[in-house]
Amino acid sequence: MMHRKFAYLCSIFASLNIILLGYDIGVMSGAILYIKKDLHITEVQQEIFVGCLSIVSLIGGLTGGPTSDLIGRKWTIGIGAVIFQAGAVVMTFAPSFRILLLGRLITGVGIGFSASISAIYVAEISPAITRGTLVSLPEICINIGILLGYISNFAFSGLPQHYNWRIMLGIGILPAVFNGITFYIIPESPRWLVMQNRLEEARSVLVKVSDRGEDVEQRLKEIKEAASVNTDYKRKALYQEILCPSPGVRRMLAAGCGIMVFQQITGIDATVYYSPTIFKNAGIKSEKKILATTVAVGFTKTIFTVVAMFCIDKVGRKVLLYVSTIGMTACLAVLGIALALQKHLSGSVVQDFGIGLAIFAVCANVAFYAVGMGPICWVVSSEVFPLRLRAKASALSQVGARVSSGLISMSFLSLSRAISVSGVFFVFSIILAIAVVFVKLCVPETKGKTLEEIETMLIGEEQKLDLADTESGKTEHELETDS
C-alpha cells in the first residue's frame, strides 16, 4: 500500500502543472470582460486572444514529444511549466493588447510542451490496476484550476478594472515555486529509463511504485521487451510511421487522436471561456451574478471529475464514455432550447424558467463531460500507443485537441452572431451524437491491462488483419489459377 501511495504522490505532483492550464481557462472567462473594457479591444481581438493559446500550443506539442524522448518525461514537464510562467508574467504586466497577446502566445507554447507529457509520465509510472484513476488526475487538476479561476474572477471583480484582471492573471504565477520543488522529489519514468538502458535506476523506481505483490522483475522484463522493439525502430523515421501507419497503428491513432479531437470540438472549452456570454444570453444581467454562477459550474465540474476518478478502473473506459457522450448530447440540445426560449418568448415567469433551465443544462453538461470525455480522453491517448511512438503520438493527439479548442474558441462569437448562441449548441449536440458512434467503433477497452498488454492486444489485432489479407490474396491467386 505504501508503494501505491508513492505512485499516487508522483502522479499528483506531475499533474499539478496542469492546474495552470485550468486556471488560465477559468480566469480568462471573467478577466476578458475587464480586459475588453480596459484595453478597448474589439470582438475579433477578443476571439483571437482567447483562442490563440490553443492554436500556438501546436508548436509546443510538436516539440514536447521528441524533447521528452531526449531529456526525459520529468524535465520536459518542468520546462513547459517555466515557459508557461514566463508568459503569465508578461500578461500580468502588459501595457497594451500587443504585449498581452505576446504573453498569451508564450503561455500557449508552454501548455503544448508539457500537457501531453504529464499524462504519459503518469501512465508510465502507474500500476495497471490504478492507471486509469491516476491518469485522470490531469483532468481533475484542470478542473481545480478552472474552479480557482472562477473564484478569482468573483473575488477580484470589484477592484478597479485597470488592476482587477491583472491580479486575476497574476495569481496563476504563485504555483511556480511549489512546482519547482516537486520536480526534485518525483523520479523519472521507469520506461524512459529502460529506453536509455539505465536498468538499475528503472528497477529502483519500479520497486518504489509497485505493489508489494507485484513481480518487479516481471514488469521490468516486459518493459525491456517493449523497449527492444523501440531499439529496432531507432533508425527509422517514427513520424513516417505515424504518417504512413500500418493497420494496427492506424487504429491506435484513430482512438488516441480522434478521442482528443472529439473532446474539444464538442465545445467544452467554448462553454467555459464564454460562460458569461452564455448566461448573459440566458437572461442574467448582473456581472456579479454571472460570475457567481460560473463558480457553481466550476464546482459541478470538479466534483464529477472526482466521481469519475473512482469509477474509471472499476466500470471501464467505454461505459463512462457512452454515459458522457449521450448525456452531453441531451444537455446541449436542452441548452439550445433554453436559449431559444429566452430569445423568442417574453414574460417574467418564462424568463425565470429559461434562466433556470440554461443553468441546469450547463451544469449537467459539464457533469457528464467530467465523468467521461474529460478524464478518459487523457487516459486513452496516453495508453493506446506503443512505447516507441508514445511520446510523439500522444503529443500529436494533444496538438489535435488544442488546435480544435482554438478553432472553436476563436469562432464561437462569430458563429453565435451568424446562427445565434442556441444554434451553436444545437450543432455541438449533433457532433456529440457522432461521437457516440465513434466511441462504439474506434475506442478499445483497456481497463486492467498493462501498457505492454495493450500494445500486444493491438499488435495481435494487426497480425490478424495481415493474416486475413494474406488469405485473401491466396484466394484471389487460386481463382486466377482456376480461370
Side-chain angles (χ1 to χ4, degrees):
M1 184 60 70
M2 291 298 296
H3 297 268
R4 188 180 298 184
K5 287 182 179 178
F6 185 71
Y8 269 84
L9 185 67
C10 293
S11 301
I12 291 171
F13 284 166
S15 302
L16 285 177
N17 188 42
I18 307 299
I19 288 181
L20 303 176
L21 170 59
Y23 184 82
D24 180 88
I25 294 172
V27 78
M28 200 54 66
S29 66
I32 193 65
L33 299 175
Y34 305 104
I35 292 172
K36 188 175 181 179
K37 295 176 183 177
D38 186 31
L39 300 183
H40 308 289
I41 64 175
T42 66
E43 186 177 274
V44 173
Q45 288 176 318
Q46 180 182 346
E47 285 184 315
I48 293 172
F49 178 70
V50 170
C52 71
L53 178 140
S54 295
I55 296 294
V56 80
S57 66
L58 172 70
I59 299 172
L62 291 176
T63 56
T67 302
S68 75
D69 282 340
L70 182 65
I71 68 172
R73 316 304 196 209
K74 180 174 76 169
W75 296 110
T76 301
I77 297 171
I79 292 173
V82 170
I83 297 173
F84 183 98
Q85 294 299 334
V89 170
V90 173
M91 286 195 294
T92 300
F93 298 101
S96 65
F97 176 71
R98 289 185 178 181
I99 303 300
L100 186 69
L101 185 61
L102 174 63
R104 185 77 168 163
L105 295 175
I106 295 172
T107 301
V109 173
I111 287 174
F113 202 79
S114 62
S116 64
I117 307 303
S118 296
I120 291 174
Y121 175 87
V122 176
E124 292 186 343
I125 206 167
S126 306
I129 193 172
T130 58
R131 190 179 60 250
T133 298
L134 294 179
V135 178
S136 66
L137 282 172
E139 182 64 22
I140 292 177
C141 289
I142 284 180
N143 289 316
I144 292 173
I146 289 173
L147 177 59
L148 292 175
Y150 283 156
I151 293 173
S152 176
N153 291 339
F154 183 75
F156 299 112
S157 60
L159 297 177
Q161 67 181 27
H162 182 68
Y163 300 105
N164 58 5
W165 64 267
R166 297 178 187 276
I167 296 175
M168 293 173 187
L169 298 181
I171 293 295
I173 302 171
L174 296 180
V177 176
F178 185 70
N179 275 356
I181 296 172
T182 63
F183 285 111
Y184 288 96
I185 298 175
I186 64 175
E188 183 53 82
S189 159
R191 286 169 172 84
W192 183 82
L193 291 171
V194 171
M195 288 172 63
Q196 307 303 310
N197 204 30
R198 293 157 61 175
L199 301 182
E200 287 304 317
E201 293 178 63
R203 181 181 287 105
S204 175
V205 175
L206 286 173
V207 168
K208 292 178 181 178
V209 301
S210 298
D211 290 333
R212 291 185 185 275
E214 281 195 81
D215 188 346
V216 172
E217 293 302 323
Q218 179 61 31
R219 285 189 67 187
L220 185 61
K221 180 182 177 182
E222 291 174 354
I223 296 171
K224 286 168 63 178
E225 289 174 354
S228 68
V229 176
N230 177 76
T231 303
D232 294 337
Y233 278 82
K234 275 187 176 179
R235 293 183 175 84
K236 296 184 180 181
L238 293 182
Y239 275 122
Q240 183 178 352
E241 187 180 2
I242 293 174
L243 294 174
C244 303
S246 62
V249 173
R250 189 180 302 120
R251 188 185 177 202
M252 296 172 187
L253 291 170
C257 297
I259 198 67
M260 291 301 293
V261 171
F262 268 109
Q263 183 193 54
Q264 296 302 325
I265 62 175
T266 51
I268 189 64
D269 275 3
T271 304
V272 175
Y273 277 131
Y274 297 110
S275 52
T277 301
I278 295 168
F279 291 129
K280 186 175 181 180
N281 276 268
I284 303 176
K285 304 301 181 183
S286 167
E287 283 188 354
K288 199 76 173 179
K289 289 181 179 179
I290 288 174
L291 294 178
T293 306
T294 62
V295 173
V297 173
F299 269 113
T300 303
K301 198 167 183 283
T302 303
I303 290 169
F304 278 90
T305 303
V306 175
V307 172
M309 179 180 175
F310 290 103
C311 293
I312 189 169
D313 283 315
K314 297 178 181 178
V315 178
R317 282 61 159 158
K318 293 193 73 166
V319 172
L320 291 178
L321 281 175
Y322 284 135
V323 171
S324 179
T325 50
I326 293 171
M328 290 176 70
T329 301
C331 289
L332 291 184
V334 170
L335 179 58
I337 292 170
L339 295 175
L341 284 175
Q342 293 298 88
K343 184 176 181 180
H344 297 292
L345 298 178
S346 59
S348 59
V349 176
V350 174
Q351 288 181 345
D352 289 343
F353 174 75
I355 292 173
L357 186 61
I359 294 173
F360 169 79
V362 171
C363 288
N365 179 61
V366 298
F368 277 114
Y369 173 86
V371 299
M373 288 293 281
I376 294 177
C377 292
W378 289 82
V379 175
V380 171
S381 67
S382 66
E383 66 184 8
V384 296
F385 301 115
L387 182 58
R388 67 180 183 274
L389 298 176
R390 187 170 296 138
K392 296 177 177 63
S394 295
L396 188 62
S397 70
Q398 281 295 320
V399 167
R402 292 293 92 210
V403 171
S404 300
S405 171
L407 292 175
I408 296 295
S409 301
M410 293 175 73
S411 59
F412 181 82
L413 294 178
S414 299
L415 282 173
S416 298
R417 191 167 56 250
I419 63 175
S420 77
V421 178
S422 61
V424 172
F425 284 105
F426 283 130
V427 172
F428 287 151
S429 181
I430 293 171
I431 294 173
L432 273 159
I434 298 172
V436 178
V437 179
F438 174 83
V439 170
K440 170 68 175 176
L441 298 178
C442 298
V443 179
E445 181 56 74
T446 55
K447 181 184 73 170
K449 295 180 174 64
T450 67
L451 296 178
E452 288 69 39
E453 287 171 343
I454 294 170
E455 181 176 348
T456 300
M457 175 183 70
L458 295 175
I459 289 174
E461 292 184 6
E462 179 178 347
Q463 289 172 343
K464 290 179 182 179
L465 288 171
D466 291 342
L467 181 60
D469 291 340
T470 302
E471 291 177 349
S472 175
K474 287 181 180 179
T475 304
E476 290 177 5
H477 179 70
E478 289 170 359
L479 288 173
E480 290 175 2
T481 303
D482 293 340
S483 61

